[in-house]
Amino acid sequence: LKITNYQLSQLSTIYIPDDNKNSLKSYIDYIDSLPIGDDHPGLFGQHPNADMSSHMKETNILLDTLLSFESGQQSAEQQSNDTSMRSREDIIYDICQQLLDSLP
């Protein structure tokens, strides 16, 4: 491209840097300046609401998975002993606590 600093998205930090044939370091510096781990929807030409929609779908999948651990499938020994039966909320709470404990 012949256009200087051609924008690749709506984000001002995403562009093709100047063609500086004398310095590979300028390209490396540009790449190092890019945000790490920020999958902003604008990088992919999507509306910012696409990110919210994606998070909602992930949350629904997580909640559906948690609800699948419903206490309806307990062993015969647990069913015979009412004191050892745990509520669905207790099981989900324990799973959520394990997820929180595993976060860095």
Side-chain angles (χ1 to χ4, degrees):
L1 288 171
K2 300 291 182 187
I3 301 172
T4 304
N5 293 331
Y6 181 78
Q7 292 292 125
L8 295 173
S9 78
Q10 297 171 351
L11 302 175
S12 62
T13 57
I14 309 300
Y15 58 90
I16 297 175
D18 290 336
D19 187 16
N20 187 350
K21 295 178 182 172
N22 297 328
S23 175
L24 178 63
K25 178 146 177 49
S26 65
Y27 290 111
I28 294 172
D29 290 341
Y30 170 71
I31 292 169
D32 287 340
S33 73
L34 293 173
I36 296 175
D38 182 21
D39 291 338
H40 190 279
L43 291 173
F44 307 103
Q46 297 179 333
H47 190 272
N49 286 347
D51 196 33
M52 184 172 38
S53 175
S54 172
H55 289 304
M56 288 174 60
K57 286 180 183 178
E58 289 175 4
T59 300
N60 285 334
I61 290 170
L62 175 63
L63 292 175
D64 288 343
T65 302
L66 289 174
L67 291 174
S68 72
F69 292 110
E70 191 170 343
S71 62
Q73 298 180 353
Q74 296 177 344
S75 69
E77 180 181 327
Q78 286 180 329
Q79 289 176 357
S80 66
N81 186 0
D82 289 339
T83 59
S84 68
M85 291 181 63
R86 298 173 55 205
S87 71
R88 174 178 53 175
E89 288 79 14
D90 290 338
I91 294 171
I92 292 173
Y93 176 81
D94 289 343
I95 293 170
C96 290
Q97 191 61 47
Q98 289 173 358
L99 288 171
L100 284 173
D101 291 343
S102 70
L103 294 175

